Amino acid sequence: MMTEWFRKAGAAGRGGFDVAIGPREAGWEYTGLHVLTLAAGESKRVVAGEHEWLVLPLSGQVNVECDGKLLFLAGRKNPFAGTTDFAYVPVSSIFTVSSAAGARIALPHAKASKQLPFRRIPAEATIVELRGAGQSSRQVNNFGTPSVLDAESLIACEVLTPAGNWSSYPPHKHDEHRQDRESILEEIYYFEMRAEDGATPASANPCGYQRVYGPKDRPINILAEVRSGDVVLVPHGWHGPAMAPPGYDMYYLNVMAGPGPQREWLSTEDPDHAWVAQTWASMKVDPRLPFGARR
């Protein structure tokens, strides 16, 4: 089932991008995501406009050129293979991404005005966090969060969930300002799935599920079967769980931004389900985590 907040792979592409969702396409104000596949030797020119951008290799090696400066990103084999270096591109820039051998690239962006430096951020700067326990174990790669990346408004992280586990759980929201408790953030989920052993058999069709729901006064109702390349937009409401069925590992990229005067990621858990986190104290973190090796 397709809704305005759930975009199947290919449905949100334009202008040579696999995914091209800016604030206008999303129907909100601040947050955007482009995803680009480059063939060997191919390049793509991007106008930053009124947004700050990140160049995040999902697979392959990438060159990024901006204002006469060239950065090389070593990248990675795939999103499950470990953290990656990435680039920050400031507002009002024109930049070009290219790849000698071919690559798949995520380009999170958010509305901004501050002119910060164009730069490379190494993979080692990413803080890898293991959250939850038992079947609620997941890995969070904090590469674009406020404690790691200097940016004006953009917040981004990667979440990897082993087959059979739930993440974004207990469900949480960030759609109202509550001092030191909750911030207003629009959010994009971009998914990639794989068979658990990393070698998908020809008969497999890796999928997962994503839930978003809201109260009666701000209704939203999404229960999406997600596959690689699918996007779920979260304008408001409780989101979670993101469910990885047995046999299929789940990856998603979260991109967030909002109107708050401070760049902060604060959320409130659904009080009907928040108690579940208390049961984790007696459980161990899933031994399949972390995915990939730190470089």
Side-chain angles (χ1 to χ4, degrees):
M1 178 181 178
M2 188 90 69
T3 72
E4 63 177 319
W5 305 118
F6 172 45
R7 314 285 174 89
K8 293 288 291 181
R14 59 182 170 85
F17 292 97
D18 304 329
V19 174
I21 297 176
R24 182 180 61 186
E25 290 77 25
W28 55 35
E29 296 185 55
Y30 302 97
T31 310
L33 173 67
H34 285 38
V35 177
L36 175 66
T37 301
L38 292 177
E42 191 177 8
S43 65
K44 183 72 172 177
R45 180 175 176 267
V46 182
V47 177
E50 60 180 359
H51 302 94
E52 57 184 354
W53 294 67
L54 304 181
V55 180
L56 178 76
L58 296 171
S59 64
Q61 299 179 336
V62 180
N63 293 313
V64 189
E65 185 174 4
C66 181
D67 293 331
K69 182 179 180 181
L70 180 65
L71 299 180
F72 172 72
L73 305 179
R76 54 190 167 180
K77 182 178 179 180
N78 59 62
F80 297 92
T83 58
T84 180
D85 51 354
F86 66 98
Y88 174 92
V89 181
V91 66
S92 302
S93 299
I94 297 175
F95 65 101
T96 301
V97 291
S98 60
S99 178
R104 195 168 71 261
I105 307 160
L107 299 161
H109 52 281
K111 191 173 181 180
S113 58
K114 189 184 300 184
Q115 195 73 30
L116 296 173
F118 171 55
R119 64 197 187 276
R120 172 187 174 273
I121 296 90
E124 293 77 11
T126 295
I127 296 176
V128 176
E129 176 187 1
L130 301 185
R131 286 188 192 167
Q135 288 184 297
S136 295
S137 300
R138 62 274 200 188
Q139 173 183 338
V140 182
N141 293 341
N142 292 290
F143 72 93
T145 51
S147 62
V148 176
L149 176 70
D150 181 21
E152 181 181 347
S153 60
L154 181 60
I155 299 173
C157 69
E158 301 176 306
V159 181
L160 299 100
T161 308
N165 287 8
W166 286 21
S167 59
S168 285
Y169 193 72
H172 60 282
K173 73 178 184 73
H174 36 70
D175 58 12
E176 58 183 323
H177 175 72
R178 300 200 292 171
Q179 187 69 34
D180 300 324
R181 296 176 61 193
E182 185 176 345
S183 51
I184 300 174
L185 296 168
E186 306 159 344
E187 184 165 14
I188 298 174
Y189 279 67
Y190 167 79
F191 291 89
E192 297 210 355
M193 305 291 303
R194 71 168 188 180
E196 185 176 10
D197 63 3
T200 308
S203 59
N205 190 4
C207 66
Y209 298 87
Q210 171 70 30
R211 180 78 171 112
V212 184
Y213 59 97
K216 291 182 179 179
D217 61 338
R218 297 190 75 189
I220 185 170
N221 186 15
I222 302 169
L223 179 55
E225 184 176 278
V226 294
R227 290 182 167 82
S228 292
D230 289 355
V231 175
V232 173
L233 307 176
V234 185
H236 61 266
W238 309 104
H239 39 290
M243 297 162 272
Y248 298 129
D249 296 325
M250 171 184 281
Y251 163 93
Y252 54 86
L253 170 64
N254 286 145
V255 183
M256 294 169 276
Q262 294 184 332
R263 178 174 168 252
E264 52 186 358
W265 180 13
L266 302 175
S267 62
T268 300
E269 292 181 341
D270 184 339
D272 289 344
H273 304 294
W275 67 270
V276 174
Q278 299 173 13
T279 68
W280 299 340
S282 61
M283 302 179 189
K284 294 182 179 180
V285 174
D286 193 313
R288 292 173 291 179
L289 295 176
F291 285 106
R294 298 300 301 273
R295 284 190 283 151

